[in-house]
Amino acid sequence: MRGAGGGANLLALRSHNTALVLDLLRTAGTEGISRLELADRTGLTPQAVSKITARLREEGLAAEAGRRASTGGKPRTVLRLVPEAGHAVGVHLDRDELRAVLADLDGTVVARRHAALDLGAGAEAVLGRVAAVVGELGAEVAGAAGAARSVGAAGAAGGRSLLGVGVALPGPLDHRRGVLHRVTVFPEWDGFPLRDALAERLGGVPVVVDKDTNAVALGLAVGGEGGSFAYLHLGTGLGAGLVVGGSVHRGPRTGAGEFGHQVVQLDGPPCGCGDRGCVEALCLAAVARGETGEAARVLGTGAANLVGLLDIDRVLVGGRTVEGAPGVFLGGVRGVLEARARRTGEECVGVGLVSGESRVAEGAAQLVLAPVFGQDG
């Protein structure tokens, strides 16, 4: 999930080049990296790198990390990223709860919040709850920086340190415009401009909106999960986040990943989406009956369809329902995929568990942070 290609010495691409430099500063860690190394790895001229790093130091995003012996001439000054110079709030809106994190530029979580939520309570109530939580987390940034300021109804939010708010919730939705579609079981959200409405409530703080599954997939890719993979999230609903060729695949209408609504049983039980026999309906019904093994087999059947369609390298499963019985779900999905591999003569793809109750919220923070470093956000 690194930025594409090398640098370019054009004013129009200044932000692109800055992102390349920031990404290298981040990956260098506390040891830092010299300007000559930055020039070599980005393809930028030393002069361009010097201008970018001078600006980053002036903005507090970069700082000296000491000196390193040179092969000739005076020792080189090395620079490092200043993680606490910027923060993002990541918010996970589930059907019945809200989880939020405050993350620094490294993606390290420095504060968390968790509260009950009724997604069907109406836009005004939900927006008010999100704004209050963002305000609480923003106040922590302000307290650490010693320079609080007011941000609309959200309260104190730490000056320029708060880069934005990422919100992840069940789809379908339009990621580019931040507009919700018919969230399963909550059709009243259809057409609601969540991004713009929340940004207005927060006094202009930038807001990014995406599906919960895409947020986790992005977080995994930024965190080092390579290749092409699918993240299957089974909680109060079922969806997928797809990473193909190193980038989150959202589709031209940002509707990719509605994994739970593939029909696997014609004339099967009704689903909240209005169709019948969907993987989500079958999975959740089995869970409700206490038949976790059956739910895992259904999930594996959907995963096998996905592997056959996209030829991905790995299937990852997570979500609160999966975490309630991780061994059962891993074994069930793996069993179906192994049976498929025996039939086709192909090598079985790997299956892994994604754990952590705040993974969606952490991925939502990456919706804001990843573009800073030239990554897919």
Side-chain angles (χ1 to χ4, degrees):
M1 294 291 292
R2 300 291 297 277
N9 292 293
L10 298 172
L11 183 60
L13 296 181
R14 176 172 139 173
S15 61
H16 167 73
N17 294 335
T18 300
L20 291 176
V21 171
L22 279 169
D23 189 37
L24 289 171
L25 289 170
R26 181 181 60 86
T27 55
T30 56
E31 292 185 3
I33 184 172
S34 72
R35 292 177 180 82
L36 286 178
E37 290 172 305
L38 288 170
D40 181 60
R41 296 187 192 182
T42 60
L44 293 166
T45 65
Q47 293 82 1
V49 168
S50 292
K51 289 181 180 179
I52 290 172
T53 55
R55 187 169 65 250
L56 292 177
R57 290 184 64 184
E58 182 180 344
E59 294 172 351
L61 293 168
E64 285 192 11
R67 295 181 179 274
R68 184 179 301 160
S70 174
T71 54
K74 63 181 181 179
R76 297 176 184 173
T77 300
V78 293
L79 302 172
R80 65 172 178 84
L81 182 72
V82 180
E84 62 272 21
H87 295 82
V89 172
V91 179
H92 176 199
L93 294 181
D94 208 341
R95 292 171 174 85
D96 59 355
E97 69 175 9
L98 178 156
R99 289 186 183 273
V101 301
L102 178 70
D104 66 16
L105 288 176
D106 266 338
T108 301
V109 174
V110 297
R112 302 176 188 271
R113 292 292 186 276
H114 177 218
L117 179 78
D118 178 6
L119 197 59
E124 187 64 24
V126 172
L127 287 175
R129 193 71 192 94
V130 174
V133 169
V134 172
E136 292 173 14
L137 292 172
E140 297 208 12
V141 179
R149 70 177 178 89
S150 176
V151 178
R160 290 170 49 211
S161 178
L162 186 60
L163 303 178
V165 177
V167 180
L169 71 164
L173 53 81
D174 184 331
H175 164 68
R176 294 192 184 94
R177 296 190 301 130
V179 174
L180 306 188
H181 294 323
R182 293 179 63 85
V183 179
T184 305
V185 189
F186 297 104
E188 64 270 23
W189 283 100
D190 188 18
F192 185 77
L194 179 60
R195 183 193 66 191
D196 293 347
L198 183 56
E200 182 178 358
R201 179 67 69 95
L202 297 175
V205 173
V207 175
V208 184
V209 173
D210 206 346
K211 289 194 285 192
D212 46 12
T213 50
N214 287 344
V216 177
L218 174 62
L220 291 168
V222 169
E225 185 71 40
S228 297
F229 63 88
Y231 167 68
L232 310 182
H233 184 92
L234 179 59
T236 57
L238 174 61
L242 307 173
V243 171
V244 179
S247 297
V248 177
H249 176 70
R250 296 183 176 91
R253 288 162 295 280
T254 74
E258 289 301 308
F259 169 82
H261 300 297
Q262 56 175 306
V263 175
V264 294
Q265 182 181 332
L266 294 178
D267 301 319
C271 179
C273 72
D275 213 332
R276 304 182 70 90
C278 294
V279 175
E280 177 176 298
L282 295 171
C283 257
L284 294 180
V287 170
R289 296 193 304 267
E291 298 175 2
T292 310
E294 172 65 10
R297 187 180 70 83
V298 173
L299 184 61
T301 299
N305 290 343
L306 202 56
V307 170
L309 182 67
L310 298 178
D311 192 23
I312 53 180
D313 303 310
R314 190 163 164 80
V315 172
L316 303 171
V317 296
R320 74 166 88 163
T321 301
V322 170
E323 291 199 52
V328 175
F329 278 100
L330 279 176
V333 172
R334 186 179 289 116
V336 175
L337 291 177
E338 287 175 347
R340 177 187 180 277
R342 287 193 294 272
R343 291 194 306 271
T344 62
E346 300 172 359
E347 181 179 352
C348 185
V349 302
V351 180
L353 174 69
V354 175
S355 59
E357 58 190 11
S358 296
R359 291 302 288 259
V360 175
E362 292 171 28
Q366 287 296 339
L367 294 171
V368 175
L369 295 174
V372 175
F373 302 101
Q375 298 165 325
D376 177 36

